[in-house]
């Protein structure tokens, strides 16, 4: 059974608050549990007026460590998916959040933190940005951030191959 517990606009702070409450009732002793997280994009949302990220880099790192610690209670198969590139012509600034931007540089800073924490905690990390950083990818992002159907199909194949190659599934 697969559960998608993602919430649009969520940050690592939100995930940390709800993780155990949502995960615990879905874990069964006779079934293998694998956690796949894609978190950090919204943390890296930068307010150009206040000059602050939605979640500070320090708090993001702390939150990821705590999420991993909670997840390890239930499984040693913990995978984090690093953010993919955005089309900055549409995200810097973003029209639907006043004074805010998503940039590839900011996403990269948070992705580096995530990778470092994953290495330290012996979790799996897939850098989607490496896999998708080409001109064609930008054409699959109608709003500059979220992929269209073809984009999600591409990311699905990359993630599936990663999970198989690393013997996670």
């Amino acid at each position: 059974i697969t559960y998608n517990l993602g919430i649009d606009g969520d940050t690592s702070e939100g995930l940390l608050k709800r993780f155990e409450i949502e995960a615990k009732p879905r874990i069964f002793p006779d079934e293998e549990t694998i956690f796949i997280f894609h978190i950090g994009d919204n943390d890296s949302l930068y307010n150009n007026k206040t000059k602050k990220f939605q979640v500070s880099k320090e708090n993001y790192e702390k939150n990821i460590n705590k999420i991993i610690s909670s997840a390890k209670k239930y499984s040693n198969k913990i995978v984090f998916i690093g953010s993919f590139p955005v089309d900055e012509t549409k995200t810097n600034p973003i029209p639907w959040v006043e004074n805010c931007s998503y940039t590839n540089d900011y996403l990269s800073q948070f992705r580096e933190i995530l990778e470092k924490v994953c290495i330290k905690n012996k979790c799996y990390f897939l850098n989607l940005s490496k896999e998708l950083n080409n001109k064609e990818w930008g054409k699959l992002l109608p709003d500059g951030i979220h992929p269209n159907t073809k984009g999600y199909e591409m990311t699905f194949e990359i993630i599936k191959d990663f999970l198989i190659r690393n013997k996670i599934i």
Side-chain angles (χ1 to χ4, degrees), residues 32-74:
E32 181 176 43
T33 300
I34 302 168
F35 293 109
I36 301 174
F37 298 101
H38 179 108
I39 194 80
D41 298 18
N42 292 318
D43 296 69
S44 78
L45 180 68
Y46 190 76
N47 187 310
N48 298 302
K49 204 172 193 174
T50 64
K51 306 290 185 214
K52 292 183 179 181
F53 293 108
Q54 187 159 325
V55 174
S56 73
K57 291 190 266 185
E58 296 78 17
N59 285 342
Y60 176 68
E61 183 171 349
K62 287 177 192 171
N63 294 340
I64 296 301
N65 275 301
K66 289 176 184 176
I67 291 165
I68 291 171
S69 179
S70 291
K72 281 189 171 185
K73 294 177 191 174
Y74 308 104

Side-chain angles (χ1 to χ4, degrees), residues 1-10 15 18-19 22-23 26 34-39 152 156 159:
I1 300 172
T2 303
Y3 301 100
N4 178 354
L5 301 177
I7 295 178
D8 186 35
D10 204 7
L15 174 59
R18 65 188 173 82
F19 173 71
E22 292 186 359
R26 293 174 171 89
I34 302 168
F35 293 109
I36 301 174
F37 298 101
H38 179 108
I39 194 80
Y152 277 118
F156 169 78
I159 294 167

